[in-house]
PDB file of all heavy atoms in Angstrom:
ATOM      1  N   VAL F  65     -22.522  11.935  11.421  1.00 90.00           N
ATOM      2  CA  VAL F  65     -23.315  12.127  10.181  1.00 90.00           C
ATOM      3  C   VAL F  65     -24.542  12.882  10.463  1.00 90.00           C
ATOM      4  O   VAL F  65     -24.936  13.687   9.658  1.00 90.00           O
ATOM      5  CB  VAL F  65     -23.620  10.686   9.609  1.00 90.00           C
ATOM      6  CG1 VAL F  65     -24.703  10.755   8.437  1.00 90.00           C
ATOM      7  CG2 VAL F  65     -22.410   9.880   9.244  1.00 90.00           C
ATOM      8  N   ILE F  66     -25.163  12.761  11.668  1.00 90.00           N
ATOM      9  CA  ILE F  66     -26.243  13.535  12.063  1.00 90.00           C
ATOM     10  C   ILE F  66     -25.852  15.019  12.076  1.00 90.00           C
ATOM     11  O   ILE F  66     -26.606  15.934  11.654  1.00 90.00           O
ATOM     12  CB  ILE F  66     -26.959  13.026  13.344  1.00 90.00           C
ATOM     13  CG1 ILE F  66     -27.587  11.634  13.217  1.00 90.00           C
ATOM     14  CG2 ILE F  66     -27.931  14.068  13.941  1.00 90.00           C
ATOM     15  CD1 ILE F  66     -27.998  11.040  14.422  1.00 90.00           C
ATOM     16  N   SER F  67     -24.704  15.261  12.657  1.00 91.00           N
ATOM     17  CA  SER F  67     -24.198  16.575  12.837  1.00 91.00           C
ATOM     18  C   SER F  67     -24.033  17.180  11.431  1.00 91.00           C
ATOM     19  O   SER F  67     -24.389  18.360  11.224  1.00 91.00           O
ATOM     20  CB  SER F  67     -22.946  16.682  13.589  1.00 91.00           C
ATOM     21  OG  SER F  67     -23.121  16.290  14.959  1.00 91.00           O
ATOM     22  N   VAL F  68     -23.442  16.461  10.500  1.00 89.00           N
ATOM     23  CA  VAL F  68     -23.229  16.972   9.115  1.00 89.00           C
ATOM     24  C   VAL F  68     -24.640  17.348   8.529  1.00 89.00           C
ATOM     25  O   VAL F  68     -24.751  18.454   7.975  1.00 89.00           O
ATOM     26  CB  VAL F  68     -22.441  15.970   8.283  1.00 89.00           C
ATOM     27  CG1 VAL F  68     -22.467  16.479   6.839  1.00 89.00           C
ATOM     28  CG2 VAL F  68     -21.027  15.870   8.753  1.00 89.00           C
ATOM     29  N   ALA F  69     -25.561  16.429   8.702  1.00 86.00           N
ATOM     30  CA  ALA F  69     -26.912  16.620   8.073  1.00 86.00           C
ATOM     31  C   ALA F  69     -27.445  17.928   8.638  1.00 86.00           C
ATOM     32  O   ALA F  69     -28.210  18.704   7.883  1.00 86.00           O
ATOM     33  CB  ALA F  69     -27.824  15.431   8.391  1.00 86.00           C
ATOM     34  N   ARG F  70     -27.327  18.188   9.990  1.00 87.00           N
ATOM     35  CA  ARG F  70     -28.013  19.277  10.683  1.00 87.00           C
ATOM     36  C   ARG F  70     -27.348  20.552  10.216  1.00 87.00           C
ATOM     37  O   ARG F  70     -27.934  21.623  10.214  1.00 87.00           O
ATOM     38  CB  ARG F  70     -27.892  19.080  12.144  1.00 87.00           C
ATOM     39  CG  ARG F  70     -28.635  20.134  12.917  1.00 87.00           C
ATOM     40  CD  ARG F  70     -28.515  19.927  14.465  1.00 87.00           C
ATOM     41  NE  ARG F  70     -27.086  19.893  14.861  1.00 87.00           N
ATOM     42  CZ  ARG F  70     -26.481  19.012  15.483  1.00 87.00           C
ATOM     43  NH1 ARG F  70     -27.073  17.816  15.749  1.00 87.00           N
ATOM     44  NH2 ARG F  70     -25.131  19.081  15.813  1.00 87.00           N
ATOM     45  N   ASP F  71     -25.948  20.594  10.094  1.00 86.00           N
ATOM     46  CA  ASP F  71     -25.196  21.857   9.928  1.00 86.00           C
ATOM     47  C   ASP F  71     -24.579  22.058   8.577  1.00 86.00           C
ATOM     48  O   ASP F  71     -23.883  23.081   8.520  1.00 86.00           O
ATOM     49  CB  ASP F  71     -24.204  21.866  11.070  1.00 86.00           C
ATOM     50  CG  ASP F  71     -24.777  21.950  12.426  1.00 86.00           C
ATOM     51  OD1 ASP F  71     -25.917  22.399  12.538  1.00 86.00           O
ATOM     52  OD2 ASP F  71     -24.087  21.433  13.380  1.00 86.00           O
ATOM     53  N   ILE F  72     -24.795  21.190   7.598  1.00 83.00           N
ATOM     54  CA  ILE F  72     -24.205  21.326   6.287  1.00 83.00           C
ATOM     55  C   ILE F  72     -24.505  22.765   5.700  1.00 83.00           C
ATOM     56  O   ILE F  72     -23.715  23.379   5.026  1.00 83.00           O
ATOM     57  CB  ILE F  72     -24.520  20.269   5.278  1.00 83.00           C
ATOM     58  CG1 ILE F  72     -23.681  20.305   4.036  1.00 83.00           C
ATOM     59  CG2 ILE F  72     -26.033  20.337   5.054  1.00 83.00           C
ATOM     60  CD1 ILE F  72     -22.180  20.187   4.262  1.00 83.00           C
ATOM     61  N   HIS F  73     -25.732  23.220   5.984  1.00 79.00           N
ATOM     62  CA  HIS F  73     -26.100  24.506   5.390  1.00 79.00           C
ATOM     63  C   HIS F  73     -25.357  25.739   6.027  1.00 79.00           C
ATOM     64  O   HIS F  73     -24.942  26.669   5.419  1.00 79.00           O
ATOM     65  CB  HIS F  73     -27.529  24.871   5.459  1.00 79.00           C
ATOM     66  CG  HIS F  73     -28.042  24.986   6.972  1.00 79.00           C
ATOM     67  ND1 HIS F  73     -28.008  23.760   7.786  1.00 79.00           N
ATOM     68  CD2 HIS F  73     -28.447  25.906   7.743  1.00 79.00           C
ATOM     69  CE1 HIS F  73     -28.492  24.210   8.975  1.00 79.00           C
ATOM     70  NE2 HIS F  73     -28.631  25.527   9.023  1.00 79.00           N
ATOM     71  N   LYS F  74     -24.941  25.543   7.315  1.00 79.00           N
ATOM     72  CA  LYS F  74     -24.109  26.510   8.036  1.00 79.00           C
ATOM     73  C   LYS F  74     -22.608  26.525   7.463  1.00 79.00           C
ATOM     74  O   LYS F  74     -22.061  27.569   7.208  1.00 79.00           O
ATOM     75  CB  LYS F  74     -24.069  26.207   9.508  1.00 79.00           C
ATOM     76  CG  LYS F  74     -25.444  26.315  10.157  1.00 79.00           C
ATOM     77  CD  LYS F  74     -25.307  26.016  11.688  1.00 79.00           C
ATOM     78  CE  LYS F  74     -26.626  26.087  12.446  1.00 79.00           C
ATOM     79  NZ  LYS F  74     -26.482  25.642  13.844  1.00 79.00           N
ATOM     80  N   PHE F  75     -22.132  25.316   7.242  1.00 79.00           N
ATOM     81  CA  PHE F  75     -20.830  25.230   6.662  1.00 79.00           C
ATOM     82  C   PHE F  75     -20.705  25.872   5.305  1.00 79.00           C
ATOM     83  O   PHE F  75     -19.735  26.660   4.979  1.00 79.00           O
ATOM     84  CB  PHE F  75     -20.435  23.635   6.582  1.00 79.00           C
ATOM     85  CG  PHE F  75     -19.200  23.478   5.692  1.00 79.00           C
ATOM     86  CD1 PHE F  75     -17.989  23.769   6.233  1.00 79.00           C
ATOM     87  CD2 PHE F  75     -19.227  23.122   4.357  1.00 79.00           C
ATOM     88  CE1 PHE F  75     -16.725  23.684   5.521  1.00 79.00           C
ATOM     89  CE2 PHE F  75     -18.033  22.901   3.579  1.00 79.00           C
ATOM     90  CZ  PHE F  75     -16.852  23.148   4.204  1.00 79.00           C
ATOM     91  N   LYS F  76     -21.734  25.642   4.486  1.00 69.00           N
ATOM     92  CA  LYS F  76     -21.693  26.347   3.106  1.00 69.00           C
ATOM     93  C   LYS F  76     -21.747  27.829   3.206  1.00 69.00           C
ATOM     94  O   LYS F  76     -21.110  28.527   2.389  1.00 69.00           O
ATOM     95  CB  LYS F  76     -22.836  25.786   2.287  1.00 69.00           C
ATOM     96  CG  LYS F  76     -22.659  24.341   1.846  1.00 69.00           C
ATOM     97  CD  LYS F  76     -23.709  23.989   0.727  1.00 69.00           C
ATOM     98  CE  LYS F  76     -23.401  24.946  -0.444  1.00 69.00           C
ATOM     99  NZ  LYS F  76     -24.480  24.880  -1.527  1.00 69.00           N
TER     100      LYS F  76
END
Side-chain angles (χ1 to χ4, degrees):
V65 172
I66 290 173
S67 296
V68 172
R70 184 182 62 238
D71 295 332
I72 187 65
H73 64 287
K74 297 179 183 177
F75 169 75
K76 286 194 62 190

